[in-house]
Amino acid sequence: MSLPAPETVRPTARIVGLPRPATPVFLGRHDDYQRLEQVLAAADETVVVTQALYGMGGVGKSEMALQYAHRARTRYEAVWWVTAESPQQVEAGLAGLTHQLVHDAARAATTEDAAAWAVGWLRAHPGWLLLLDNVTDPAHVAGLLGRLEGGHALITSRRDVRWPGTTRTLQLGLLAPGPAAELITTITGRTAPNDRQTAAVIARELGYLPLALDQAAAYIRQTRITLGRYLGLLQQHPARYYAKAADGDKAQATIARLWDITLETLQEQAPEAAELVSVLAQYAPADVPRLILGGRDEEATEAADAALGVLASHSMVDLTDEVVAMHRLTRAASCPKPRTSAKITHTARPVTLPSTGSKRPCPTTPTPM
C-alpha cells in the first residue's frame, strides 16, 4: 500500500503526541511563560512562527515547552513532539507523525519517505504545533523549518547561537529563591516553618536549578527522609547526591548525566573547550576574570576567548567581556582528576592556561553563589 497524497488526509480527531504529561508543580516561570504565550498566541497561522527556548541543562526548557503544549493544545489541529538531538532523530520523529496519521499505509515506507510525507502533510494542513526538543545544532532543523508553512515550531536547546530565519529566542534562567524553595516543599509535602527554612538552604545548595530541585524533592519524597537529613547528606556528599533520582523520575535524567552528554560532545568536537572546562571547574563557582585565562600571552588569550565562546554557546558558562561564571552543579559535574595544568592547543603551538596551582580535586562542598 502506497502513501496517500498528504493533502487528502484529514484526521477525525485532534492529533496530540507528547512524551509525558506536564508536571502539576510548575513554579517561578510566570513571566517567562507569559512571554512565550504572547509570541505564539498573537502569531498568524498562515506563516511559520519559530520560537527557541534556550538555557543551561536542567533549567526547564523541555518542561516549559510541555506546559505550553498542554495548555494550548486545543488551538492546534496537531501537536507533535520530536526529540531532535540528531538529524536521524528528527527524521524518525517526523516519520512517527506519518505512522500516527496513516498507520497502515506507512508500514512499508522507509523512514526517509515517511518523514518527507509528514513534512508534506504539515505544509498542506495549517494550524499545527511542532515541538523540536533538545536541538544540538541549528543546522539539523534549518532545512525542515525552511520547508514548512502555516504553523508554529517551538525549539528547545542548550545552544545560544544564531537560529535560522526569523526565529525568536527566549533564555530561561535559574529560579528565584522563593519559588525554588516552594517547589521542594510542595513536592515533598513538608511545609512546616522549619521545613521551609531548610528547603531554602537546599535550594541555595543546588543553585536554584529546576531539574536539580525537582530530583531532590522526588528523592526525599520517595525515601521518606527529612529535609534536614537530605541537606546533611548533600553537604557531605554533593557529587553523589547530584546524581540521585527517584525511580521513574523523568527517565532518571540526572543532573550529572546532562553534563556528561555535553562534555562528551565537547571532547569530540571542541577539545580545547573541554580542557578549559576542567580548568574553570577547579575555581569556586564565582566570577573568574577572563584576563587570567591566557595571562598576557596574546596567543593564549585568543585561544581562551575562542574556547569560552564555545562553552557559552553550549550554556556551560555565563560570559561577559570581563568575567566568566560557571554554575556550581556544572562545576561539580566537570571536576577533573587532580592536575597541575591544562593546555589549549592552538594552530601554532600549545598554550598553557593557569590552573588552581594545586593537585587536589575540586572542592566537595558547594559555596554560596
Side-chain angles (χ1 to χ4, degrees), residues 171-257:
Q171 182 178 18
L172 294 188
L174 303 172
L175 290 182
E182 185 182 357
L183 189 151
I184 293 173
T185 58
T186 301
I187 293 175
T188 61
R190 299 179 182 272
T191 57
N194 62 319
D195 287 328
R196 294 182 187 278
Q197 294 174 359
T198 305
V201 180
I202 292 174
R204 187 180 69 236
E205 292 288 332
L206 293 174
Y208 308 113
L209 188 66
L211 180 58
L213 299 168
D214 186 273
Q215 287 180 177
Y219 182 78
I220 291 166
R221 183 185 178 103
Q222 177 178 286
T223 56
R224 293 173 174 78
I225 60 176
T226 66
L227 298 186
R229 169 66 174 160
Y230 180 85
L231 176 59
L233 293 169
L234 176 64
Q235 292 175 328
Q236 187 175 2
H237 307 289
R240 184 188 308 171
Y241 279 82
Y242 295 155
K244 292 287 187 182
D247 289 343
D249 183 35
K250 293 184 180 176
Q252 301 199 27
T254 63
I255 292 299
R257 182 57 186 152

Side-chain angles (χ1 to χ4, degrees), residues 156-338:
T156 74
S157 178
R158 296 178 209 171
R159 303 300 307 277
D160 179 10
V161 292
R162 184 176 181 179
W163 289 91
T166 58
T167 300
R168 303 190 186 196
T169 59
L170 174 62
Q171 182 178 18
L172 294 188
L174 303 172
L175 290 182
E182 185 182 357
L183 189 151
I184 293 173
T185 58
T186 301
I187 293 175
T188 61
R190 299 179 182 272
T191 57
N194 62 319
D195 287 328
R196 294 182 187 278
Q197 294 174 359
T198 305
V201 180
I202 292 174
R204 187 180 69 236
E205 292 288 332
L206 293 174
Y208 308 113
L209 188 66
L211 180 58
L213 299 168
D214 186 273
Q215 287 180 177
Y219 182 78
I220 291 166
R221 183 185 178 103
Q222 177 178 286
T223 56
R224 293 173 174 78
I225 60 176
T226 66
L227 298 186
R229 169 66 174 160
Y230 180 85
L231 176 59
L233 293 169
L234 176 64
Q235 292 175 328
Q236 187 175 2
H237 307 289
R240 184 188 308 171
Y241 279 82
Y242 295 155
K244 292 287 187 182
D247 289 343
D249 183 35
K250 293 184 180 176
Q252 301 199 27
T254 63
I255 292 299
R257 182 57 186 152
L258 282 176
W259 276 291
D260 282 347
I261 293 169
T262 302
L263 288 170
E264 289 167 6
T265 299
L266 290 174
Q267 287 164 0
E268 293 178 2
Q269 300 179 1
E272 300 88 349
E275 285 290 349
L276 184 54
V277 167
S278 69
V279 174
L280 293 172
Q282 296 178 66
Y283 290 87
D287 292 350
V288 175
R290 292 179 63 164
L291 61 85
I292 73 171
L293 301 176
R296 298 183 182 279
D297 185 295
E298 183 176 350
E299 187 177 359
T301 300
E302 181 183 346
D305 287 345
L308 287 172
V310 172
L311 295 180
S313 79
H314 284 269
S315 298
M316 291 289 285
V317 298
D318 289 324
L319 189 62
T320 72
D321 58 349
E322 294 185 349
V323 299
V324 55
M326 179 181 284
H327 191 276
R328 67 182 62 195
L329 301 191
T330 310
R331 178 177 64 89
S334 307
C335 279
K337 295 179 181 179

